[in-house]
Amino acid sequence: MKKTEKFGMFGSLGLAALMFSTYIGPGYASGTQTVSFYLTKGSMGVFLAPVVLGIITFFWCWLTFEFNRVYRPRDYKEQFSMIYRNPVANKFFIFMKELTSFGQLFVVVSAMISGAATLMKNYLGIPMLVGTLLFAAAVIVMTMQGTSLVAKVSNVLTIVIIGIVIYITIIGIGPTWEGMKSFVEAGSQPEDYGFTKFYAWFVIINSVANFIAGMNASVPYCRENIHSRKDSIVAAAGNAILCTAATIACTMLFSAGMPAIAEEPLPMVYTLRELVGAGAWVQYLYFVIALAAMLSTGISIIYGMSERWSPVVGAKLLKNSKPAVVRIAVSSTMIIACMLMSSFGILNLIRIGYPILMNIATPVVFMLLFVTIPYRIHKDKKDGVYPGMLPEGQNG
């Protein structure tokens, strides 16, 4: 008999938290990502762009979460192997997935480390090198504990982040309201910032990769915690709503400082100090949210990559080592590489690295799944090998 589906609220909300806490990392928490991708595309970047991305995010997440639930892949490589069965397509798309996953690792985690070290230096006076080492060590320690701790950390950090975002929005909306209103009513266009409308929307749509940044970590999470269609829907809706709402909160605040704020490496700090006139303790609240956001992003991305590569390294290079040792070795190697790249600085990494990564990854690797996953499900149902139709115990 088929396995009975039971809705698990904690599992679905935990996945939404994992996805959201990955998105909320260095570019978002600092504000650099939000300004660069949305507000430099004109007035539509304040409300329209985030809403469009939220809708795309919901359907993408629902589709992939449901695929992960039914097919039960262990990591992102196995996920793509299940989607693409043709030998040529299999090799090509797995190569592209690996390429973009490493790109995400090096660009996003490096930006996270750079941003965290910069914040610790600005707020606590900790030297950049020391801050970098402390932050990297925290990511490794939490990542090596596996799915359970990663999920718990994401849940806690998401609650902290949402609470502080709401508070900052409440105190900031008054002082920035007129500036935001003027920016929206001015009706500025992408051409005002050197972009064509087509390219502006191309960049905006491709930036959906930010909203789904936790995709790799979601694969092993779904295998253990997503058990019903409702789980998939609630998790997808939760992530889309959280990402969209948090983004709009920031675009509203930051738009009051356009265009000068586009040159700031930490737009949120600029907003609090120059536009809101917040006191020192509010700025320290932001420091907490920023570190929490960057930490959650680093944990999620390193965890997703560790789940993919620890079995490979354990089987080929560290055959007699314990799983924990292998995980530490893999995570440490990745963090060290990201630490070296973080020297480029958060502004350069987000302005240059993010667009290159997204313009390659989003159309070929992510958006194509809107076609290839439904095709795989349809084909497997037609051939009678769809896991959801098989007796319990025969689908992984």
Side-chain angles (χ1 to χ4, degrees):
M1 294 183 59
K2 291 174 63 176
K3 186 176 181 179
T4 302
E5 294 182 353
K6 293 183 178 179
F7 173 56
M9 179 64 76
F10 291 109
S12 56
L13 293 182
L15 178 54
L18 175 63
M19 295 291 290
F20 173 70
S21 65
T22 307
Y23 162 63
I24 206 85
Y28 174 88
S30 67
T32 314
Q33 176 179 291
T34 304
V35 172
S36 178
F37 288 140
Y38 311 130
L39 296 182
T40 60
K41 306 306 179 288
S43 298
M44 66 181 182
V46 179
F47 297 108
L48 181 60
V51 169
V52 170
L53 285 176
I55 294 170
I56 295 173
T57 296
F58 168 74
F59 286 106
W60 191 94
C61 287
W62 171 72
L63 189 66
T64 57
F65 294 167
E66 188 65 4
F67 182 89
N68 293 341
R69 178 186 72 84
V70 175
Y71 284 80
R72 296 173 57 76
R74 292 176 176 81
D75 53 52
Y76 67 80
K77 181 186 178 183
E78 190 169 83
Q79 179 194 51
F80 267 52
S81 294
M82 291 175 173
I83 296 171
Y84 300 102
R85 307 274 177 80
N86 177 276
V88 175
N90 181 274
K91 290 182 180 180
F92 173 76
F93 284 107
I94 287 180
F95 170 77
M96 290 301 297
K97 177 63 177 177
E98 298 281 24
L99 180 66
T100 55
S101 293
F102 273 104
Q104 182 193 43
L105 170 73
F106 293 134
V107 173
V108 179
V109 177
S110 297
M112 171 207 71
I113 294 173
S114 175
T118 300
L119 283 171
M120 284 189 276
K121 179 181 179 181
N122 289 346
Y123 282 89
L124 301 179
I126 297 176
M128 289 288 289
L129 178 59
V130 176
T132 297
L133 292 173
L134 288 173
F135 204 77
V139 171
I140 293 173
V141 169
M142 294 184 186
T143 299
M144 64 176 287
Q145 300 301 318
T147 304
S148 179
L149 183 60
V150 169
K152 290 177 181 177
V153 169
S154 298
N155 291 341
V156 172
L157 292 180
T158 294
I159 293 171
V160 172
I161 291 166
I162 290 174
I164 299 178
V165 165
I166 291 173
Y167 180 74
I168 288 177
T169 302
I170 291 173
I171 67 168
I173 199 65
T176 61
W177 180 260
E178 289 301 322
M180 180 275 293
K181 186 178 177 182
S182 297
F183 180 77
V184 172
E185 291 179 346
S188 59
Q189 299 297 313
E191 290 83 356
D192 298 332
Y193 299 92
F195 302 100
T196 64
K197 285 185 174 62
F198 174 82
Y199 184 71
W201 275 109
F202 180 75
V203 171
I204 289 170
I205 297 301
N206 281 349
S207 72
V208 73
N210 292 325
F211 281 32
I212 59 175
M215 70 202 92
N216 290 344
S218 74
V219 179
Y221 185 95
C222 285
R223 181 180 174 86
E224 295 185 23
N225 299 284
I226 301 301
H227 306 296
S228 72
R229 291 180 180 86
K230 287 185 178 179
D231 286 348
S232 301
I233 293 173
V234 170
N239 179 53
I241 292 170
L242 288 173
C243 289
T244 303
T247 300
I248 290 176
C250 285
T251 55
M252 289 176 66
L253 296 179
F254 299 157
S255 62
M258 286 292 289
I261 200 172
E263 300 302 318
E264 293 293 325
L266 298 173
M268 182 64 86
V269 174
Y270 176 86
T271 298
L272 292 175
R273 289 178 177 174
E274 305 299 328
L275 303 180
V276 177
W281 76 276
V282 175
Q283 295 183 42
Y284 276 101
L285 269 183
Y286 162 69
F287 171 69
V288 172
I289 182 184
L291 279 186
M294 294 176 186
L295 183 62
S296 63
T297 295
I299 292 170
S300 176
I301 293 176
I302 294 292
Y303 166 70
M305 290 295 285
S306 179
E307 288 295 298
R308 160 71 180 99
W309 289 102
S310 289
V312 176
V313 173
K316 295 185 177 182
L317 300 178
L318 300 173
K319 296 181 180 179
N320 298 320
S321 300
K322 295 181 179 180
V325 174
V326 176
R327 186 181 291 275
I328 292 174
V330 172
S331 300
S332 298
T333 300
M334 292 177 179
I335 281 289
I336 290 171
C338 293
M339 287 167 59
L340 295 175
M341 282 199 64
S342 69
S343 61
F344 287 103
I346 185 171
L347 194 59
N348 289 327
L349 286 165
I350 290 175
R351 280 185 171 178
I352 300 173
Y354 270 45
I356 293 174
L357 176 62
M358 290 174 191
N359 291 345
I360 295 173
T362 305
V364 177
V365 179
F366 307 142
M367 301 304 282
L368 195 59
L369 294 180
F370 278 116
V371 176
T372 54
I373 287 181
Y375 170 77
R376 172 51 50 205
I377 293 173
H378 170 75
K379 185 71 166 57
D380 286 354
K381 285 182 176 179
K382 183 179 178 181
D383 295 340
V385 295
Y386 179 63
M389 299 169 60
L390 298 176
E392 183 178 352
Q394 293 188 23
N395 61 343

